[in-house]
């Protein structure tokens, strides 16, 4: 059987995609030269620019590279380097016909990158046109963003410079030719602009600007026929520089006379930032910045104006960075030349930029545009009437303005107390460090703004069915914020944001939200019962009302502190009517712990650029990286991983595929987050038969190849659309009812929903009509809204735990303890007395001994009464609840049973589930409002029936040993078997572990190291058989994957719903090992009373330590 041919490997090139020289055609310079020689000539005419030369990597042919690699002992027969050449426009090429615009370069055998249109490039490099100047002008730089048909962006940096015109064929700046020509034979006073454009896949605006600045110092001193060689050498250098991996390692390259720094992105999900993010804050007041962000969030049609072409792109890119992790989904063209102004007539959302000279023309010709003047810091609308742009929520805006005002935006203030630097590169390094800190602070402030605006979106998401309840979300917003949220919720940007949230993407937003969430939010994330305001929140709300002026009834962001700021924007005001006052107190921006950054200096590139020189450059890179790795401290694994990444990339460029794979294998073991899985897979596929056989003989590479190549094929992408919750319009059968209830977010558990279906259909046909579902849904939501308005007196708050919530409040009733309202929390019943508000404890669910519903005589009437007997009180509590008596009887008994089960089984989830049953009972009674409503609600009295019909006895050994039982299926629709439990001890700052605290993750799938046998009864037995660390039957099977690391002896459950701290647990699920060694993963299988362990071959020596 013939061996399959290895596939070609397309190697990732460096930073450079394309480098081009642009300017006026050679034959078009005759007119300006003659005009310049005439005395009294008017301003020179405008010329049509064109692409003069293009340089595209690689600059060494495939044949030369293969020969050089073979000479070095490396095999590169399968390296698929496409042969692309640089080219220059021929001087004898036919002249473009008048009226057809600039001529485009049409080379042969030149691979132009996608997204770069050579016909449009001259207009973008000379957006103001090409004019011959009578005096030399300063060199200038501006920036481009190029987008292909697929929406992929490339970034360009353009440097314009002027050269004196000498004759119709050539123009020199060399001293000898200039002096020899003499004044009479030259076009003295005639200077022609040219431009060098560098296009990269990465937005290295500052770095490439510095590179072009270095290049221009050479181009001004060279002759015409030397220009191409200088630019080609410059492009060749950039093409050899690899892109740094995400993390703290930045690359430094000597471009002479400057040291150029190419920063890396902070993590794989973060954007690459190589510009000064404070530029918009220098151009606009914070209130104006918020208005622009509002226009972006509501996806308006925005046009930036400035007299500086460079500021158009830089300011627009800064606002794109302010939105991260949200992404602008529409057209993004920050620079429009004069010939492109008709683009602003597009009917869809866009962000574009024009020169300030076109302001009047654009505002007159197009309607509905938001016009942003960068030079004056003003915002207006192109409509005859003012554009009504909503305001960002008040508390989020206040915090943002305070934080921005506290920033130090001027580097001169930072340098005031420092001596002047006598070293150019040292001064530049100090400026970069200051800018990096400022950029991080600005990103932090903007991210906090987005989290403040959208934090509560998660409370209205249904992850299983990918549903967002926009109607309920809007009801929770403040009246002044309604218009803002209504517009934002209709945007593509917010839809993409919802997709990320429903996919549980751990991006910057999710991390900031987790880091800044309150204790109440953290607790609510672990609870299955409906959310209610905690006692802690009620207390803080009361203190706020006492200390601050009256505020709005509903606040979008209750977790933010009350901040006194100067007069803010008038609510829902138009753009033209906004006027803000100066002054105001400063508020220190939130401190951000900056991660240390490191640099790696790329070796020099030797010329002429031959294949041997390129190989020498690669050898120098490998040698320096290896040397840096040897000198690293053992604990600096973050930096070591970046060195492995770079060395593997360089060895790929050399053609040393096996060496590259070994580095990537080390990277995989060090930091999997930056592991280039696709590149490694393509590398493995390109191995020749001999190389593949060599790799199979190496244990490390054999495991890597197995991991990469045997990875299961991704299933077809599921439908990731976000659905908006809607009430049903037709009758619902059981399956449809289950889906609708889960989508509504009321309850997830399928068994509970089945009981709810039985309750709502008692004595009827087994289907639910739309009107009944609507009534039930409204009852549930009304109860939630009423719970948010509950306000307890301070005397009651003092007696309750801070994490308690009031779930049910009765009407005013007469009791033997006084007249008042009975309140139910997850722990107790208490009475809120009337008259002088007070607190009287009724009973804790744990202490109850008997709950009865009876009647007492009052004159000729029998009044329904609830009686509760407790162990701690001799007196029986009595409450004349009248029509509410039967419902409260059911609810109290269900909570009592839930609490008993929770105490017996060490599982607090029983209480949370009992609360859900209680609130469903209340909603069912409110929905049916019939004599049979109580009987229907009794269908949901699950734990009370379970406790009376079949007591769940816990074995004595388990009861004595078990500290806390975890339910891996909590928050899911149905119980599921656990494949793997992963335990990770929590560490202190000093590296030690805290006894009794750790993380236990429940995993559903494991690609390898997974036991193959599953007993189905483990997933369907009663709770005592499915869960718990002890007391499992002999026939049950449990899989435990234990990660042994630092010393620790505890558990913490971490499920999709959130984290929950769990106190000390039994030792069965732990491996105690105080010695600090690299973590190892074991898979332990308990089957019929016997333990079997899977130990990785590479860690067999650790078996003695277990």
């Amino acid at each position: 059987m013939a061996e399959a041919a290895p596939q070609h490997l397309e190697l990732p090139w460096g930073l450079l995609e394309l480098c081009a020289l642009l300017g006026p055609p050679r034959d078009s310079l005759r007119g300006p030269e003659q005009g310049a020689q005439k005395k009294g000539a008017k301003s020179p005419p405008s010329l049509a620019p064109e692409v003069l030369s293009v340089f595209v990597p690689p600059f060494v042919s495939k044949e030369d590279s293969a020969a050089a690699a073979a000479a070095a002992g490396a095999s590169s027969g399968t390296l698929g380097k496409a042969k692309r050449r640089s080219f220059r426009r021929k001087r004898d090429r036919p002249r473009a016909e008048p009226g057809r615009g600039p001529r485009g370069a049409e080379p042969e055998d030149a691979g132009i990158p996608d997204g770069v249109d050579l016909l449009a490039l001259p207009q973008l490099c000379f957006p103001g046109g090409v004019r011959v100047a009578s005096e030399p002008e300063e060199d200038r730089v501006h920036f481009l963003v190029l987008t292909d048909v697929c929406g992929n962006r490339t970034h360009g940096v353009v440097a314009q410079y002027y050269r004196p015109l000498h004759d119709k064929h050539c123009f020199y700046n060399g001293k000898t030719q200039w002096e020899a020509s003499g004044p009479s034979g030259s076009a003295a006073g005639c200077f022609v602009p040219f431009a060098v454009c560098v296009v990269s896949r990465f937005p290295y605006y500052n770095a490439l600007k510095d590179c072009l600045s270095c290049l221009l110092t050479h181009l001004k001193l060279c002759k015409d026929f030397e220009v191409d060689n200088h630019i080609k050498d410059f492009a060749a250098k950039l093409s050899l520089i690899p892109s740094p991996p995400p993390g703290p390692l930045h690359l430094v390259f000597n471009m002479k006379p400057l040291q150029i720094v190419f920063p890396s992105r902070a993590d794989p999900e973060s954007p690459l930032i190589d510009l000064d993010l404070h530029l918009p804050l220098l151009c606009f007041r914070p209130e104006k910045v918020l208005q622009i962000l509002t226009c972006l969030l509501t996806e308006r049609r925005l046009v930036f104006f400035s007299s500086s072409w460079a500021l158009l792109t830089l300011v627009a890119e800064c606002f794109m960075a302010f939105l991260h992790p949200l992404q602008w989904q529409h057209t993004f063209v920050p620079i429009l030349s004069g010939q492109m102004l008709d683009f602003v007539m597009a009917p869809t959302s866009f962000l574009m930029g024009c020169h300030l000279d076109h302001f009047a023309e654009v505002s007159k010709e197009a309607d509905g545009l938001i016009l942003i003047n960068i030079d004056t810091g003003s915002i207006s609308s192109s409509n005859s009437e003012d554009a009504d742009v909503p305001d960002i929520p008040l508390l989020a805006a206040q915090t943002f303005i305070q934080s921005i005002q506290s920033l130090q935006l001027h580097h001169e203030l930072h340098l005031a107390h420092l001596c002047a630097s006598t070293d150019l590169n040292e001064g530049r390094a100090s400026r970069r460090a200051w800018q990096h800190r400022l950029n991080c602070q600005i990103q932090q402030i903007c991210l906090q703004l987005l989290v403040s605006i959208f934090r509560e979106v998660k409370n209205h998401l249904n992850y299983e069915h990918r549903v967002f309840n926009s109607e309920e979300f809007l009801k929770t917003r403040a009246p002044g914020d309604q218009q803002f949220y209504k517009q934002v919720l209709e945007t593509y940007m917010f839809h993409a944001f919802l997709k990320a949230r429903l996919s549980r993407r751990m991006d910057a937003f999710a991390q900031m939200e987790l880091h800044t969430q309150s204790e109440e939010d953290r607790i609510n994330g672990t609870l299955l019962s409906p959310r209610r305001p905690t006692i802690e929140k009620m207390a803080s709300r009361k203190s706020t009302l006492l200390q601050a002026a009256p505020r709005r009834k509903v606040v979008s962001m209750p977790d933010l502190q009350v901040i006194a700021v100067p007069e803010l924007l008038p609510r829902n005001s138009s753009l033209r009517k906004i006027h803000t006052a100066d002054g105001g107190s400063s508020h220190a921006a939130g401190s951000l712990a900056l991660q240390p950054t490191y640099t790696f200096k790329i070796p020099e590139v030797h010329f002429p650029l031959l294949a041997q020189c390129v190989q020498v450059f690669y050898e120098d890179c490998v040698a320096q990286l290896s040397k840096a790795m040897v000198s690293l401290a053992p604990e600096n694994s973050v930096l070591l991983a970046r060195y492995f990444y770079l060395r593997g990339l360089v060895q790929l460029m050399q053609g040393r595929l096996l060496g590259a794979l070994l580095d990537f294998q080390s990277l995989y073991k060090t930091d999997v987050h930056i592991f280039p899985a696709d590149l490694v897979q393509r590398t493995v596929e390109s191995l020749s038969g001999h190389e593949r056989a060599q790799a199979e003989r190496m244990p490390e590479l054999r495991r890597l190849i197995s991991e990469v190549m045997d990875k299961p094929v991704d299933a077809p992408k599921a439908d990731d659309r976000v659905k908006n919750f809607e009430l049903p319009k037709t009758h619902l059968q059981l399956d449809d009812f289950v889906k609708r209830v889960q989508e509504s977010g009321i309850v997830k558990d399928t068994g509970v929903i089945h009981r709810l279906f039985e309750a709502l259909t008692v004595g009827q046909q087994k289907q639910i009509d739309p009107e009944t579902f609507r009534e039930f849904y409204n009852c549930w939501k009304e109860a939630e809204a009423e719970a948010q308005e509950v306000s307890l007196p301070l005397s009651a708050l003092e007696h309750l735990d801070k994490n308690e919530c009031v779930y049910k409040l009765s009407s005013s009733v007469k009791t033997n303890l006084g007249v008042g309202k009975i309140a139910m929390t997850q722990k107790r019943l208490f009475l809120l007395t009337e008259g002088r508000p007070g607190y009287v404890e009724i009973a804790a669910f744990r202490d109850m001994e008997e709950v009865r519903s009876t009647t007492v005589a009052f004159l000729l009437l029998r009044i329904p009464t609830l009686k509760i007997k407790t162990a701690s009180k001799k007196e029986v509590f009595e409450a004349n609840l009248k029509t509410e008596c039967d419902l409260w009887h059911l609810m109290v008994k269900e909570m009592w049973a839930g609490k008993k089960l929770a105490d017996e089984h060490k599982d607090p989830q029983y209480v949370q589930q009992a609360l859900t049953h209680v609130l469903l009972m209340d909603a069912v009674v409110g929905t049916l409002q019939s004599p049979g409503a109580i009987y229907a609600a009794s269908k949901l009295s699950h734990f009370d029936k379970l406790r009376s019909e079949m007591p769940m006895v816990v074995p004595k050994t388990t009861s004595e040993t078990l500290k806390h039982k975890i339910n891996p299926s909590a928050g899911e629709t149905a119980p599921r078997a656990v494949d793997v439990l992963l335990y990770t001890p929590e560490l202190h700052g000093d590296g030690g572990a805290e006894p009794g605290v750790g993380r236990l993750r429940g995993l559903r799938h494991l690609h390898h190291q997974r036991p193959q046998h599953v007993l189905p009864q483990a997933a369907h037995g009663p709770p005592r058989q499915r869960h718990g660390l002890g007391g499992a039957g002999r026939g049950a099977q449990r899989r435990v994957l234990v990660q042994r690391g630092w010393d620790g002896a505890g558990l913490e459950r971490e499920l999709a719903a959130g984290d929950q701290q769990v106190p000390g647990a039994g030792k069965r699920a732990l491996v105690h090992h105080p010695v600090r060694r690299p973590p190892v993963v074991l898979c332990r299988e308990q089957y019929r009373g016997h333990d079997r362990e899977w130990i990785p071959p590479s860690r067999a020596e650790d078996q003695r330590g277990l």
Side-chain angles (χ1 to χ4, degrees), residues 21 26 53 55 88 91 161 163 169-174 176-177 194 218-219 221-233:
L21 173 66
R26 305 299 196 272
S53 303
F55 305 92
R88 183 174 180 177
R91 294 185 179 179
Y161 67 103
R163 294 178 64 99
H169 289 300
C170 54
F171 39 94
Y172 304 121
N173 196 29
T176 303
Q177 284 79 6
F194 291 87
H218 300 288
L219 293 184
L221 301 176
C222 68
K223 302 175 183 178
D224 178 45
F225 58 85
E226 298 174 336
V227 170
D228 278 1
N229 290 333
H230 279 283
I231 297 178
K232 183 177 180 180
D233 291 346

Side-chain angles (χ1 to χ4, degrees), residues 428-472:
R428 284 166 47 84
S430 174
R431 175 65 167 76
R432 280 194 303 270
W434 175 85
Q435 188 64 58
H436 175 66
R437 289 193 297 270
L438 182 59
N439 283 355
C440 291
Q441 290 175 338
I442 294 174
Q443 287 179 286
Q444 177 95 344
I445 292 171
C446 293
L447 187 56
Q448 288 175 344
L449 173 69
L450 294 176
V451 172
S452 300
I453 295 172
F454 299 115
R455 180 191 297 271
E456 296 183 11
V457 166
K458 68 177 184 297
N459 297 337
H460 303 272
L461 294 176
N462 183 283
Y463 294 90
E464 288 74 14
H465 298 277
R466 302 187 66 83
V467 173
F468 173 60
N469 197 330
S470 59
E471 182 179 351
E472 292 299 327

